[in-house]
Amino acid sequence: MKKISLFLILLILASCSKKKEEVQENFSKLPWSTIEKQAKGKEVSMIMWMGDAKINQYMKNYIVPKVKKENGINLQIIDGQGSAVVQLLMTEQQANKTESDIDLMWINGETFYQLKQINALFGPWTNLVPNAKYIDFKNPFIGTDFQQPINGFEMPWGNVQLTVIYNSKKVQNPPQTRADLLTFVKKNPGIFTFDNQFTGLTFLKGLLIDISGSKEELSGPFDAVKYQKYSTKLWAYIKELKPYLWRQGSVFPESVAQTHQLFANGELWFTMSNNDAEVDSKIQEGLFPETTQAYVPTFGSIQNSHYIGIPANSGNKAAAMVVANALVSVEAQVKKMNPTVWGDGTILDLSKLSPQDKAKFESIPARLKSPKRTEIQDKALKELAPEYMVKLAEDFRKNIINN
């Protein structure tokens, strides 16, 4: 039975691949003005993580009206991320559905990897989008996603680096090394933890790289031998931390939003964020106290980009590309980078912009409590191959959460 199912799935995937190539060939022959005409009046469903009020406001109050006014596109935002996106598209393929329920998706490297395995991505398409010429594709933190060349199958949207956030009223000298962290939590039990989802796993990847002894030791394709060697030391370290974590490590927050809330109400002295400018926006909205600050430990933290993808069986590819073009426009990137709006780092190469457009980025309000990117760039760690995150998630649950 399993062999028959696999055979049917492969037939479906081959069919999807053929359709994808035919559509791409047609689009590649069209001028952008014609693609814009095709997009006019269409409805685009975009699936994305909706766990942050500021991001939701940016999309609802700025992007949605922008594409409606400029392109006549009705943009609908749907909540969903990661495995839910993969499962949805896989289910549609297996049902031989000709048009997907979604046209655009906010994805990261792990999801990108999984979608490539089931041939669920439309592309290459980014070379067709006018504003792509300003994107800094040569930057290894932008043009490569979890060690994977993006090859035109996803559009960079923003660039961020993980920071540890703390209340400076309670913490005068935040821990800088793994040894410092262990010593600190032993002296101050119950005030530190990390979530069991994307942000927490990204923090664990930083620890794994530190344990490996070199920024480049785990670069390249997934290495099972190296993973076993260094993850064994990682879990030994986390087990030593565990009794001194929040609730003695008996439970971990299910999301970074929950960790933020525990920090906001004083139950935790620390939280963390994949967005290095988030502290300012959270203080501005009143969630974090004025004494909140953020930093990157000396062992470094992951810097990565997040991306926009189009499903292979989207029925509105032209409109999806037009929306993507708006998302990476100078105006949208400038607004998004404002720390009181979102604080998301730009993926544009400012040297490619006109003096007028470059000046718009230079006039963005300065960060107040968040570290400047120039202060933490030398501590930036490249993302690992996606299998590392998959294995860390599995082993964290097996070795720590359920043990």
Side-chain angles (χ1 to χ4, degrees):
M1 188 65 184
K2 287 183 180 179
K3 290 183 179 179
I4 295 174
S5 298
L6 179 59
F7 177 70
L8 290 174
I9 291 171
L10 290 172
L11 284 178
I12 292 168
L13 294 181
S15 174
C16 289
S17 177
K18 185 177 180 181
K19 291 176 183 176
K20 178 187 70 176
E21 291 169 359
E22 291 170 355
V23 173
Q24 168 60 14
E25 183 178 343
N26 291 337
F27 275 122
S28 67
K29 295 177 180 178
L30 298 178
W32 182 250
S33 58
T34 301
I35 292 175
E36 285 184 307
K37 287 178 183 177
Q38 287 188 12
K40 207 82 170 176
K42 294 292 195 303
E43 182 171 301
V44 170
S45 295
M46 179 176 177
I47 191 167
M48 59 177 281
W49 177 68
M50 297 183 69
D52 185 277
K54 289 283 189 182
I55 297 174
N56 297 343
Q57 289 168 12
Y58 171 79
M59 294 299 295
K60 179 181 177 182
N61 300 332
Y62 177 70
I63 294 296
V64 170
K66 177 180 173 68
V67 297
K68 178 66 175 178
K69 180 182 178 181
E70 296 177 0
N71 310 104
I73 294 173
N74 296 306
L75 179 61
Q76 304 294 323
I77 308 296
I78 303 169
D79 188 17
Q81 61 174 320
S83 59
V85 176
V86 177
Q87 186 60 52
L88 171 63
L89 295 181
M90 185 182 296
T91 300
E92 289 180 345
Q93 286 181 349
Q94 293 173 352
N96 206 21
K97 191 170 183 177
T98 55
E99 287 193 5
S100 176
D101 289 336
I102 57 176
D103 305 297
L104 208 57
M105 46 198 173
W106 185 14
I107 57 178
N108 60 46
E110 180 188 4
T111 307
F112 180 50
Y113 169 76
Q114 293 169 335
L115 292 176
K116 285 197 301 180
Q117 304 311 302
I118 62 170
N119 204 20
L121 286 165
F122 167 63
W125 60 272
T126 61
N127 61 303
L128 306 177
V129 176
N131 286 327
K133 64 178 176 288
Y134 302 119
I135 294 177
D136 190 8
F137 285 108
K138 292 183 179 179
N139 186 328
F141 293 101
I142 294 174
T144 302
D145 188 9
F146 279 53
Q147 304 279 327
Q148 306 162 102
I150 58 180
N151 291 333
F153 281 80
E154 56 177 359
M155 174 78 80
W157 187 22
N159 176 265
V160 291
Q161 186 169 341
L162 184 140
T163 56
V164 178
I165 298 168
Y166 67 102
N167 188 333
S168 62
K169 185 178 180 180
K170 299 175 180 179
V171 182
Q172 280 71 50
N173 298 297
Q176 294 289 343
T177 67
R178 281 183 289 123
D180 287 346
L181 179 59
L182 182 59
T183 299
F184 189 95
V185 297
K186 284 183 175 181
K187 290 181 179 178
N188 303 277
I191 50 79
F192 182 88
T193 193
F194 47 91
D195 69 86
N196 61 25
Q197 299 298 321
F198 188 82
T199 303
L201 292 171
T202 302
F203 176 66
L204 289 177
K205 278 191 281 188
L207 292 175
L208 186 70
I209 293 171
D210 184 44
I211 288 169
S212 77
S214 166
K215 284 186 176 183
E216 302 301 326
E217 173 68 6
L218 297 175
S219 294
F222 176 72
D223 188 314
V225 174
K226 288 183 178 180
Y227 173 78
Q228 181 62 33
K229 176 182 177 181
Y230 299 124
S231 66
T232 299
K233 296 178 181 179
L234 172 65
W235 302 131
Y237 174 74
I238 299 299
K239 285 178 180 178
E240 197 170 357
L241 277 180
K242 187 176 178 180
Y244 307 99
L245 298 179
W246 176 68
R247 294 192 179 180
Q248 296 80 48
S250 61
V251 64
F252 291 82
E254 288 294 329
S255 67
V256 68
Q258 184 185 354
T259 316
H260 283 352
Q261 193 58 56
L262 292 168
F263 174 78
N265 65 28
E267 193 167 344
L268 292 176
W269 292 3
F270 294 85
T271 182
M272 54 188 69
S273 174
N274 277 302
N275 182 352
D276 43 293
E278 187 173 20
V279 165
D280 284 337
S281 65
K282 287 293 184 284
I283 291 176
Q284 190 264 341
E285 70 181 70
L287 181 64
F288 289 173
E290 290 284 345
T291 51
T292 304
Q293 294 186 10
Y295 76 110
V296 173
T298 55
F299 58 79
S301 67
I302 298 288
Q303 181 185 133
N304 59 27
S305 293
H306 47 92
Y307 302 80
I308 297 297
I310 299 174
N313 60 338
S314 162
N316 296 299
K317 295 184 179 72
M321 285 190 283
V322 170
V323 173
N325 190 55
L327 291 172
V328 298
S329 66
V330 168
E331 294 76 17
Q333 289 279 305
V334 166
K335 189 170 186 67
K336 184 163 64 76
M337 197 171 176
N338 188 319
T340 63
V341 174
W342 179 345
D344 195 33
T346 187
I347 41 74
L348 301 183
D349 182 348
L350 302 192
S351 68
K352 295 181 178 180
L353 304 181
S354 68
Q356 295 82 1
D357 284 341
K358 186 177 179 180
K360 294 175 184 177
F361 284 95
E362 293 169 345
S363 66
I364 293 173
R367 299 178 179 189
L368 299 176
K369 300 297 181 71
S370 302
K372 294 181 177 61
R373 179 57 73 86
T374 53
E375 297 172 353
I376 61 175
Q377 183 63 46
D378 64 337
K379 298 178 184 177
L381 306 173
K382 293 178 186 176
E383 272 287 9
L384 302 180
E387 295 94 332
Y388 283 103
M389 193 156 191
V390 173
K391 287 293 293 178
L392 282 173
E394 293 174 353
D395 291 347
F396 178 50
R397 188 159 298 278
K398 180 177 68 175
N399 296 322
I400 306 299
I401 296 177
N402 296 332
N403 195 337

